[in-house]
Amino acid sequence: MTSIQKELKKYANSQKAVIFQRFFKTAKGQYGEGDRFIGVTVPEIRKVAKQFIDLSLVDVLQLLHSSIHEDRLCALLILVEQYNKGDLKKQKQIFQAYLKNYQYINNWDLVDLSAPKIVGAYLFVHPQEKNILEKLAQSNNLWKKRVAMVSTFYFIYQGQSAETIKLAKILLNDSHDLIHKATGWMLREVGKRCEQKILLDFLNQHYQKMPRTCLRYAIERLPEKTRQAYLKSLI
């Protein structure tokens, strides 16, 4: 056990671990099947991550390969901080390592807390490589698809919606609930942070084909009258 794992274990809580196991769907046949938790909260993991911000990339990736969920999240939070502080060379190394180790970024919280700040941030500065997002979205792997969609949050924060809209069209007919939620969430943010008309144009073209969960997430911040009009039209 490494020193960082020992530090995380100080915050372990067996009762919380049981709750997390259920919440993150770790039972047989569920999307998080086989994942293991020790019951450490995100604020506690962030606290530990700050203590090990200078960990080498080799050691961070070793932590990312752990079977313990909180270890992997801690590794990703360290990578996010190292990416923010790194030069272009360091950022490229982290971006490439992130994509090479996607099999360890295998639950929605791991994706959501890291993908926009690493994959999204990198591709925003290197737009010539943005086709990676489409490749990820067209993958058969649930987490690659979620990485693709949630990464566009970085673009949305910069006022750009094109990548989100493009991927939303690719993922519109995806069968997994976690992709419906991610797509609806990003569409909602387009309406909130970019321009509501962009969201409405997308909805008017696609709402009848959108999964119900995706639509509900997307229209969440629209005026109540508009929101109800979309919902009632599907009844």
Side-chain angles (χ1 to χ4, degrees), residues 33-69:
E33 180 179 349
D35 205 353
R36 296 169 58 203
F37 288 79
I38 59 174
V40 187
T41 66
V42 173
E44 290 166 343
I45 297 171
R46 288 189 185 279
K47 185 176 180 180
V48 173
K50 288 179 181 179
Q51 299 174 39
F52 293 87
I53 208 67
D54 295 322
L55 209 61
S56 71
L57 184 56
V58 170
D59 288 338
V60 177
L61 293 179
Q62 181 183 349
L63 184 65
L64 182 60
H65 294 177
S66 170
S67 62
I68 303 299
H69 187 99

Side-chain angles (χ1 to χ4, degrees), residues 16-187:
K16 288 179 182 177
V18 172
I19 295 170
F20 293 165
Q21 298 262 158
R22 289 198 300 266
F23 184 71
F24 287 100
K25 309 296 185 185
T26 63
K28 187 173 182 180
Q30 295 182 316
Y31 59 73
E33 180 179 349
D35 205 353
R36 296 169 58 203
F37 288 79
I38 59 174
V40 187
T41 66
V42 173
E44 290 166 343
I45 297 171
R46 288 189 185 279
K47 185 176 180 180
V48 173
K50 288 179 181 179
Q51 299 174 39
F52 293 87
I53 208 67
D54 295 322
L55 209 61
S56 71
L57 184 56
V58 170
D59 288 338
V60 177
L61 293 179
Q62 181 183 349
L63 184 65
L64 182 60
H65 294 177
S66 170
S67 62
I68 303 299
H69 187 99
E70 290 92 340
D71 290 352
R72 301 200 303 282
L73 180 54
C74 190
L76 291 167
L77 293 176
I78 292 172
L79 287 180
V80 167
E81 286 303 311
Q82 290 185 348
Y83 185 94
N84 288 338
K85 296 178 179 180
D87 57 19
L88 290 176
K89 182 179 178 181
K90 180 68 172 180
Q91 290 177 343
K92 185 173 183 178
Q93 288 176 336
I94 292 172
F95 169 74
Q96 291 176 335
Y98 189 96
L99 292 185
K100 287 179 181 177
N101 288 275
Y102 76 88
Q103 67 267 39
Y104 303 103
I105 309 167
N106 56 353
N107 216 310
W108 58 264
D109 63 320
L110 303 180
V111 171
D112 296 357
L113 291 172
S114 61
K117 297 176 181 179
I118 295 178
V119 179
Y122 180 85
L123 295 177
F124 185 81
V125 178
H126 301 85
Q128 70 278 10
E129 298 183 47
K130 283 193 298 186
N131 65 319
I132 289 172
L133 290 176
E134 290 184 59
K135 291 179 180 178
L136 291 172
Q138 291 166 344
S139 165
N140 292 323
N141 182 275
L142 168 63
W143 306 117
K144 282 186 176 182
K145 289 185 285 189
R146 186 153 177 127
V147 164
M149 177 51 73
V150 177
S151 291
T152 69
F153 208 169
Y154 191 90
F155 289 82
I156 294 170
Y157 262 104
Q158 314 307 317
Q160 296 185 17
S161 61
E163 296 307 315
T164 303
I165 297 300
K166 184 189 301 180
L167 296 192
K169 291 176 181 178
I170 293 173
L171 294 170
L172 199 61
N173 297 313
D174 195 87
S175 61
H176 205 288
D177 185 61
L178 284 180
I179 301 303
H180 301 168
K181 290 177 179 178
T183 302
W185 171 27
M186 290 301 105
L187 288 170

